[in-house]
Amino acid sequence: FYIFPQYRYVIYNKRSNDKLKYKTSNKKIATVSSKGVVKKKKKKGTATITAWIPGTSTKKTCRVTVK
């Protein structure tokens, strides 16, 4: 799967049969939906978004900075 950092972040799963899980390190900076859509908040700072496939060691991270 891939993480596309654009104005609004979307985490794309190339293999649609994999059930991805998502989490953020700081909900005050950025949130991530169960579908992988990341939204930046108004508070300044950084957060790390992690996407992973449960039961495997496969994971990707993306750092979001709000200035």
Side-chain angles (χ1 to χ4, degrees):
F1 54 93
Y2 303 96
I3 297 177
F4 292 104
Q6 297 167 344
Y7 293 106
R8 191 168 118 180
Y9 292 78
V10 177
I11 300 169
Y12 170 72
N13 183 13
K14 186 176 177 183
R15 295 176 12 193
S16 62
N17 59 334
D18 292 334
K19 302 289 183 187
L20 294 180
K21 295 285 186 175
Y22 309 94
K23 69 178 179 178
T24 180
S25 65
N26 192 336
K27 292 180 182 179
K28 293 178 181 178
I29 306 300
T31 60
V32 59
S33 74
S34 62
K35 294 185 180 185
V37 177
V38 178
K39 293 184 181 177
K40 294 186 258 182
K41 298 292 187 171
K42 293 182 180 180
K43 186 171 179 168
K44 295 179 182 181
T46 60
T48 301
I49 305 299
T50 305
W52 74 96
I53 302 171
T56 71
S57 61
T58 303
K59 73 176 183 176
K60 296 280 184 174
T61 60
C62 176
R63 187 173 182 176
V64 176
T65 302
V66 178
K67 295 182 178 182

